[in-house]
Amino acid sequence: MTQTVLEINHLVKKIGNKAIVKDISFSVNEGEIFGLLGPNGAGKTTIIRSIVKLISKTSGEIKILGHDIDTSYTEAIQHVGAIVENPEFYPYMTGLQNLKAFASMSRKKVSAERIDEIIKLVHLEKAINNKVKTYSLGMRQRLGVAQALIHEPKLLIFDEPTNGLDPEGMKEFRLQMKSLATQGVSVLVSSHLLTEMELLCDRFAIIERGELTHIADMEQTSTSEQEKAFHMHLEPLPQAKELLTNWDIDYIVAEDGTPHFFITTLPSNIPALIKKLALADISIFTVEAHTKSLEERFLEITKHNGGSME
């Protein structure tokens, strides 16, 4: 049975009479990368700050490996490595000196071998003896990951970790997180960059105006009872259009005038449709289901809920 690493039950945060986070519940399992998605100001950072007690929650329960952060904070937080907003370092110290300074503050003894291991993991061997003020944003981010990992946490928490990174830096972060997840480390990451989150996460939750409006597996697809879009290359074009219209099939044709149809129907209808087209002497070159991207699903969900990324 998979272990629950982070458990959040009915989390509420109010400032005055205004609810910033409204009755949110979710969990993160061992070795899972879980994403919090939503526009800026949706409440993602408030949730993360509540988990690590940078702010006090109004009500609700937060447990890390079974330890309640209110009653057993020391036991709970020792399992956490986090970067909330931008990682901060002493700029006139080297990367290695910064890591050693952080290690000296850890409740858990950190060996020199462990520090070397982490430096190699984040690919900072060539720059670790340079002063941090000379580091690029991507290098500082890698040093931040090293700092978060140094005491071997079971849960990593990142708030907008790829902000400002170039595509190479984003890919590197993604690969590091996936590698750690295979070793049993859990990752909670918040972002508004949907394409990156689609490539990174196993599950995601959508936060809108402080509410959790949707939670799903990243690979979750439509069921057979729901309509999907299918791309079909059908020739000749005029006859195919006429038949689909007569059969009352919902479709659009490619704008460039090529015989590529995008048909919306139940998956269970496709075999019969193909048979009818073939009997009508329509040549069928392509039939493929169109899988919705995370961005399409996000916009569909938030539009239904009256929200947006703006």
Side-chain angles (χ1 to χ4, degrees):
M1 184 176 178
T2 304
Q3 184 179 25
T4 299
V5 175
L6 172 66
E7 185 178 357
I8 296 178
N9 294 309
H10 305 293
L11 177 64
V12 174
K13 173 61 181 178
K14 292 181 179 179
I15 298 178
N17 293 323
K18 183 177 181 181
I20 308 299
V21 172
K22 307 170 186 177
D23 195 27
I24 282 180
S25 299
F26 65 88
S27 61
V28 180
N29 298 320
E30 182 180 11
E32 179 179 41
I33 302 177
F34 188 97
L36 293 178
L37 309 183
N40 292 328
K44 304 186 304 296
T45 297
T46 300
I47 294 169
I48 285 176
R49 285 178 169 269
S50 298
I51 294 169
V52 296
K53 294 203 78 172
L54 287 175
I55 59 174
S56 58
K57 56 185 171 59
T58 302
S59 62
E61 180 184 63
I62 299 172
K63 290 184 177 181
I64 299 166
L65 286 173
H67 300 291
D68 191 299
I69 66 164
D70 291 327
T71 58
S72 306
Y73 178 74
T74 300
E75 291 83 355
I77 207 66
Q78 68 180 343
H79 300 291
V80 177
I83 300 178
V84 182
E85 299 175 350
N86 295 320
E88 297 292 336
F89 303 103
Y90 298 106
Y92 291 96
M93 290 169 57
T94 67
L96 181 59
Q97 288 170 334
N98 270 275
L99 289 181
K100 286 182 175 178
F102 183 78
S104 69
M105 293 182 281
S106 175
R107 289 179 174 271
K108 181 178 181 179
K109 182 173 174 59
V110 180
S111 67
E113 290 75 17
R114 173 62 181 171
I115 294 175
D116 287 341
E117 177 187 333
I118 294 301
I119 291 168
K120 290 176 183 175
L121 179 66
V122 299
H123 307 297
L124 274 178
E125 302 100 307
K126 293 181 179 178
I128 199 64
N129 291 309
N130 297 340
K131 291 182 178 180
V132 170
K133 69 175 184 176
T134 66
Y135 281 19
S136 66
L137 179 59
M139 291 166 68
R140 289 197 301 274
Q141 187 73 315
R142 278 186 273 165
L143 189 62
V145 172
Q147 177 179 293
L149 285 171
I150 207 163
H151 60 293
E152 301 183 78
K154 292 293 293 179
L155 173 65
L156 288 173
I157 300 176
F158 297 105
D159 186 21
E160 300 283 358
T162 56
N163 271 4
L165 295 184
D166 60 19
E168 184 178 354
M170 291 181 180
K171 181 180 179 181
E172 190 172 88
F173 176 82
R174 185 168 67 246
L175 292 175
Q176 285 176 349
M177 294 305 104
K178 286 183 173 291
S179 174
L180 289 166
T182 63
Q183 299 170 40
V185 177
S186 304
V187 181
L188 175 66
V189 56
S190 80
S191 183
H192 64 280
L193 302 177
L194 299 180
T195 302
E196 269 305 300
M197 295 291 270
E198 183 169 22
L199 294 170
L200 174 64
C201 297
D202 301 308
R203 283 195 303 147
F204 68 94
I206 293 175
I207 309 296
E208 290 186 86
R209 301 183 181 92
E211 296 182 11
L212 195 159
T213 62
H214 187 77
I215 188 167
D217 292 336
M218 194 60 74
E219 297 300 323
Q220 190 176 55
T221 56
S222 300
T223 69
S224 59
E225 294 304 311
Q226 294 176 313
E227 289 189 341
K228 294 182 68 173
F230 291 85
H231 167 222
M232 302 182 77
H233 177 178
L234 306 174
E235 294 186 20
L237 174 62
Q239 289 90 327
K241 287 178 65 176
E242 182 180 358
L243 287 169
L244 292 173
T245 300
N246 291 340
W247 296 339
D248 199 26
I249 301 294
D250 186 11
Y251 74 90
I252 58 173
V253 183
E255 293 181 358
D256 59 6
T258 56
H260 292 274
F261 293 76
F262 296 90
I263 295 170
T264 303
T265 187
L266 295 172
S268 58
N269 290 339
I270 290 297
L273 177 58
I274 291 171
K275 185 176 181 179
K276 288 175 70 174
L277 288 166
L279 289 172
D281 292 326
I282 299 296
S283 297
I284 305 167
F285 294 94
T286 301
V287 180
E288 59 183 4
H290 172 66
T291 302
K292 291 180 181 178
S293 69
L294 177 60
E295 183 173 24
E296 290 173 307
R297 292 161 69 191
F298 182 94
L299 292 172
E300 194 175 79
I301 293 162
T302 55
K303 183 178 180 181
H304 176 74
N305 292 330
S308 74
M309 285 294 281
E310 299 176 354

